[in-house]
Amino acid sequence: PLPVVVTGAASGIGAAVAALLVAGGTPVIGLDRHASAPDGVDARACDLSDPAAIDAAVAALPDRLGGLASVAGVPGTHPPERIVAVNLLVPRRLGAALTPRIAREGAIVNVASVAAQRSAATDAEVAAVLDASGDAAVLAAVAAHGLDGSATYDFTKKALLALTLRQARDGLAAGVRALSVSPGPTETPILGDFEQTMGADRMAAAAQVVGRHGRPEDNAPLIAFLLSREARWVNAVDIRVDGGLLGVR
Ligand code: NAI
């Protein structure tokens, strides 16, 4: 099989996806700030918040790829510009650069969040941000909303759902699918940041509804499936992986 690029492969959900793909015989190239990654992953250190670093990483990737899992993300405790850069500009830039290299029936899978549903942004406001040309214009368009870190996080995840649909449309001619998955609260290092921005009580209440928090291993099988040829007719859709949290609400 062709290699799959996984961002955020050093930790949490990205590491679980990378490990599962490797276990199934798919070569994985991991892009992360940290060079560590599960055994068997071709881990490449790269600060994806720097567009020049993305371009350099892309230049060193193989010409043909099986897919892209955009998993890297930062929580609302980071400065808003960094949240927009990592959560939105990275999947946008990488998706645009790699779509032409992804084989027919391959896919882009973006990891969004159930937090997207919390954003007060309208579809028109999200579209205006995605229509902005160039990273600086996107950053300015989000900044114009004057959101705090937590609301910026929610906004970037809502925008990522809409970006995914645009990527799906752009990929149709070449047979490259684009999908998003929206995890609920998941036990990874950033869960503590979510407790800080949203309140530990709210996070605990969410775990009570569905019995526990999710784990990276709960998300990885769906992401690996969506990347695979078996999912070749599944396209342009978001799938929640939250144990039912939003559905039963
Ligand atoms: P994590 O913190 O364990 O993993 C995130 C990875 O992204 C880390 O390895 C980090 O080094 C990498 N990363 C961050 N900024 C980077 C940069 N500038 N350049 C390169 N790599 C960078 O967190 P987790 O939970 O695995 O998060 C993965 C995705 O899942 C994120 O997009 C997050 O927003 C999303 N998510 C997580 C939830 C949770 O409760 N843990 C819930 C819903 C969505």
Side-chain angles (χ1 to χ4, degrees):
L2 289 165
V4 167
V5 174
V6 179
T7 71
S11 177
I13 296 170
V17 170
L20 190 62
L21 289 172
V22 166
T26 298
V28 172
I29 299 167
L31 300 180
D32 199 291
R33 249 179 324 166
H34 306 291
S36 61
D39 284 350
V41 173
D42 176 356
R44 304 183 183 183
C46 174
D47 180 355
L48 295 164
S49 66
D50 173 6
I54 298 183
D55 294 347
V58 164
L61 290 172
D63 289 341
R64 299 299 290 155
L65 294 168
L68 164 67
S70 271
V71 190
V74 292
T77 46
H78 286 245
E81 343 40 282
R82 195 175 178 84
I83 300 169
V84 177
V86 178
N87 295 5
L88 185 57
L89 296 178
V90 170
R92 179 163 121 137
R93 196 176 194 88
L94 265 183
L98 298 186
T99 296
R101 299 194 194 184
I102 297 175
R104 188 163 282 279
E105 295 184 345
I108 294 172
V109 178
N110 294 315
V111 174
S113 170
V114 293
Q117 310 305 324
R118 263 196 324 257
S119 175
T122 64
D123 290 348
E125 286 167 344
V126 167
V129 164
L130 294 180
D131 286 340
S133 60
D135 291 358
V138 170
L139 284 163
V142 179
H145 288 276
L147 307 171
D148 66 9
S150 187
T152 300
Y153 179 85
D154 299 348
F155 187 104
T156 59
K157 294 303 187 179
K158 183 161 190 174
L160 187 55
L161 300 183
L163 174 71
T164 305
L165 301 183
R166 291 182 179 211
Q167 290 176 329
R169 188 192 56 203
D170 293 345
L172 279 179
V176 177
R177 299 169 294 117
L179 307 113
S180 55
V181 301
S182 288
T186 306
E187 284 168 4
T188 73
I190 67 176
L191 194 61
D193 297 271
F194 293 133
E195 284 171 347
Q196 230 175 296
T197 55
M198 296 180 40
D201 290 359
R202 254 178 91 180
M203 300 300 285
Q208 236 176 355
V209 172
V210 286
R212 63 171 172 85
H213 285 316
R215 303 181 184 114
E217 294 71 24
D218 297 323
N219 290 284
L222 174 66
I223 296 169
F225 170 71
L226 293 175
L227 288 165
S228 77
R229 196 178 170 275
E230 312 310 313
R232 59 193 170 274
W233 209 238
V234 185
N235 194 9
V237 70
D238 178 65
I239 302 179
R240 291 194 304 256
V241 189
D242 66 353
L245 182 63
L246 290 200
V248 301
R249 189 178 56 177

